[in-house]
Amino acid sequence: MDSLTIAQKIVRGSYNNLSSEEPFMETSGIYRFTNEDITSYFHHLQNKKEILAAKTSISVADLYQQVSEILALMKDGHTRCGIYTKEVKTIEDYTAYYAFGIPVAINGIDINQLYEVFKTRFSFEVDIAIKTRFFNSYVFREDILYLVGIDPTKPVTYTYETKNGREDFTHNLVTNLESFYPSKDDIKTLLQNKNYTQEEIAKITNTTMVEYLTPDKVESAKVVGNPQNWIWYTIDKQNDIGILTFRECSYNDEYIETVKNFFADVKDANINNVAVDLRSNGGGKSLVAVEFIKHLNVDSYKTWDCAVRCGPILKHFDNDLVKNNKYDTNFSGNVYVLTNTNTYSSAMDFSMLIQDNNLGKIIGEPSSNKPESYGDILYFQLPNSKIQLCISFKKWYRIDQTKKDLLIEPDIPCPSQESVSVLYDLISKFCIITPCFALLL
């Protein structure tokens, strides 16, 4: 019960001053909870203690599930706990998933029933974003299986709806690098073995394995870097576009150098349009956006308000107009950002800085969380179970407060897979004759 005691302290650290009649934002922390909310959470916490106390033994999975239910009440994607290993484990073979789609059951339990359990144990902000992740990827992950009550240390059986009825496929979990991701031929072979016709096979493979246009597959584009890496870019002089892609917001020397080289190549090719591909970028450091904007011919821009909890002190920082310490040679052309429902946290903030300062246009799908949200996290680890916890200590506010309750909505909406095609079509409609680079004297 030592671990539970520490978990309780973490929660109590956010839920204090119960006697106050003021909103929780003013008395305790960054979350705007009412007195009734706090009382309800304490009751929930006590209930979890009683459930665990009644057990003759407590497994790590038991504790993980109960603590997760407490944190899930926060509805904050940055406040959560997990059972993490050095390498993420997932199923050993994805062929059945690509052939038959989302499984209908896991170990005999209906997938929708598991999703309802998941929602009570996972802290999230946007329903559609978390639903997409759960059904298409989370259900195959070790930590999520633990969370919904499936034992991933034993073979796990996934049930799929096929033309022959429901069929089971049992898998062990392996590291992500060891997992088998099928080719189109692998899928065809499985479907042929299940007596699918050639017409049925063609329909399935053309849907599940369709090769959408991506920056590296444009014939006229020069690829710089490895598209399998976290950051790389393309320069397409013929079509007047450069696209910078990064899958995480890591602010480091590699990022700084890559962005520098990207804009240098854009200048050398006399390109008038640049795009940043933030699709499925889960975030990281917001400084990546600041560094990118330094390469734009922008004198200043607005940042967001935030409230920071430092022990007993709650400090508010107001929206400021920031001077852009731009580089000597900077870009004056058109800027686009590609987003989808997996564009999250600092990647979402990047999109907000561009959109709310009228620096460019967003193409694709809405972001995975709202700008009015929580972030910057403190990490804890329970000493016995080794369960890891994190909790937000900042509240962020949207730059454009007229849109404070909205996600980052695209200026040009389209399915994520079609973003690059839409970008190319958009650029082809415009002819820009003004110089795209300015030189500071």
Side-chain angles (χ1 to χ4, degrees):
M1 300 300 291
D2 180 38
S3 294
L4 183 62
T5 301
I6 292 181
Q8 180 182 357
K9 287 182 179 179
I10 292 173
V11 177
R12 282 186 180 276
S14 294
Y15 304 154
N16 56 13
N17 293 329
L18 283 174
S19 60
S20 172
E21 295 181 359
E22 296 298 319
F24 189 55
M25 181 67 177
E26 302 300 324
T27 62
S28 173
I30 58 174
Y31 300 98
R32 189 173 292 280
F33 292 141
T34 64
N35 217 36
E36 292 74 18
D37 289 334
I38 303 167
T39 302
S40 174
Y41 297 149
F42 267 115
H43 176 76
H44 198 82
L45 175 61
Q46 185 60 36
N47 179 54
K48 295 305 171 190
K49 286 183 61 180
E50 292 172 358
I51 290 173
L52 292 174
K55 292 178 176 287
T56 56
S57 64
I58 303 174
S59 69
V60 172
D62 288 332
L63 184 60
Y64 173 39
Q65 293 162 8
Q66 299 301 327
V67 174
S68 292
E69 286 192 15
I70 298 168
L71 297 180
L73 296 171
M74 310 287 275
K75 294 298 180 185
D76 167 22
H78 289 88
T79 294
R80 58 190 182 277
C81 72
I83 300 176
Y84 300 112
T85 55
K86 290 183 179 179
E87 296 182 278
V88 175
K89 287 189 175 181
T90 184
I91 60 170
E92 60 193 348
D93 187 344
Y94 278 86
T95 309
Y97 167 67
Y98 281 98
F100 307 120
I102 297 169
V104 295
I106 304 176
N107 282 4
I109 304 173
D110 185 271
I111 193 72
N112 292 297
Q113 181 180 337
L114 292 173
Y115 178 59
E116 293 304 315
V117 173
F118 169 77
K119 289 194 296 182
T120 67
R121 295 176 178 172
F122 194 89
S123 189
F124 65 94
E125 301 164 39
V126 180
D127 287 350
I128 185 61
I130 203 64
K131 186 173 184 179
T132 300
R133 291 185 196 175
F134 177 79
F135 284 105
N136 290 285
S137 64
Y138 281 4
V139 293
F140 304 113
R141 276 176 31 182
E142 177 187 36
D143 57 326
I144 301 301
L145 292 173
Y146 270 124
L147 194 64
V148 298
I150 303 293
D151 184 358
T153 64
K154 301 175 182 178
V156 180
T157 299
Y158 291 82
T159 304
Y160 295 89
E161 198 72 66
T162 76
K163 69 173 292 185
N164 306 311
R166 294 193 170 188
E167 296 195 34
D168 293 338
F169 293 80
T170 300
H171 302 293
N172 292 306
L173 268 67
V174 297
T175 64
N176 194 45
L177 292 176
E178 297 173 311
S179 293
F180 177 74
Y181 291 89
S183 66
K184 185 177 289 190
D185 287 339
D186 295 321
I187 297 172
K188 286 181 179 179
T189 298
L190 175 60
L191 293 171
Q192 287 169 349
N193 291 339
K194 298 298 179 181
N195 299 318
Y196 278 71
T197 66
Q198 291 302 314
E199 182 179 353
E200 291 170 332
I201 292 173
K203 182 178 180 180
I204 291 172
T205 54
N206 288 339
T207 300
T208 61
M209 300 296 288
V210 60
E211 294 186 359
Y212 294 100
L213 182 67
T214 55
D216 57 307
K217 291 179 180 176
V218 179
E219 187 175 341
S220 55
K222 169 190 172 186
V223 179
V224 180
N226 183 1
Q228 300 303 314
N229 192 14
W230 72 276
I231 185 168
W232 52 281
Y233 62 88
T234 59
I235 298 294
D236 189 346
K237 184 174 182 179
Q238 178 179 321
N239 290 291
D240 196 25
I241 177 69
I243 303 178
L244 173 67
T245 299
F246 50 101
R247 298 304 182 208
E248 59 189 58
C249 292
S250 292
Y251 182 71
N252 53 29
D253 291 342
E254 183 181 8
Y255 175 80
I256 294 171
E257 188 66 18
T258 302
V259 176
K260 175 184 175 182
N261 293 338
F262 170 69
F263 277 103
D265 286 350
V266 165
K267 181 178 184 297
D268 289 344
N270 196 29
I271 284 174
N272 294 282
N273 302 278
V274 299
V276 182
D277 189 351
L278 296 179
R279 291 175 296 173
S280 299
N281 185 315
K285 300 292 185 181
S286 58
L287 286 173
V288 298
V290 175
E291 180 67 22
F292 181 86
I293 293 175
K294 287 180 182 179
H295 290 274
L296 304 183
N297 188 21
V298 176
D299 293 327
S300 61
Y301 59 92
K302 287 186 177 181
T303 60
W304 46 79
D305 288 1
C306 70
V308 183
R309 166 58 64 187
C310 300
I313 301 172
L314 182 65
K315 177 66 175 177
H316 290 265
F317 294 89
D318 293 333
N319 184 322
D320 290 325
L321 189 66
V322 176
K323 178 183 177 182
N324 185 27
N325 296 315
K326 54 188 175 180
Y327 294 113
D328 290 344
T329 302
N330 45 73
F331 182 74
S332 299
N334 299 311
V335 177
Y336 303 92
V337 179
L338 311 184
T339 64
N340 65 7
T341 54
N342 287 320
T343 300
Y344 184 66
S345 192
S346 293
M348 175 276 298
D349 290 335
F350 190 117
S351 307
M352 173 176 60
L353 276 171
I354 296 298
Q355 187 178 67
D356 286 7
N357 282 286
N358 297 314
L359 302 180
K361 300 294 184 183
I362 309 297
I363 299 175
E365 299 172 343
S367 57
S368 187
N369 66 323
K370 295 179 180 179
E372 293 269 325
S373 60
Y374 309 98
D376 274 12
I377 51 184
L378 300 174
Y379 291 92
F380 304 86
Q381 186 174 46
L382 306 187
N384 296 331
S385 65
K386 306 303 179 185
I387 290 174
Q388 298 174 25
L389 302 99
C390 54
I391 187 166
S392 301
F393 66 91
K394 285 185 183 179
K395 168 69 182 290
W396 304 106
Y397 299 89
R398 182 156 188 172
I399 296 171
D400 184 350
Q401 280 291 290
T402 65
K403 302 176 181 178
K404 66 179 183 178
D405 294 325
L406 302 177
L407 298 168
I408 300 298
E409 297 286 347
D411 300 290
I412 304 151
C414 67
S416 174
Q417 300 91 332
E418 299 175 12
S419 297
V420 174
S421 295
V422 170
L423 172 65
Y424 267 77
D425 289 344
L426 183 67
I427 291 171
S428 68
K429 295 178 182 178
F430 296 94
C431 179
I432 303 171
I433 59 174
T434 56
C436 63
F437 273 86
L439 180 62
L440 296 184
L441 301 176

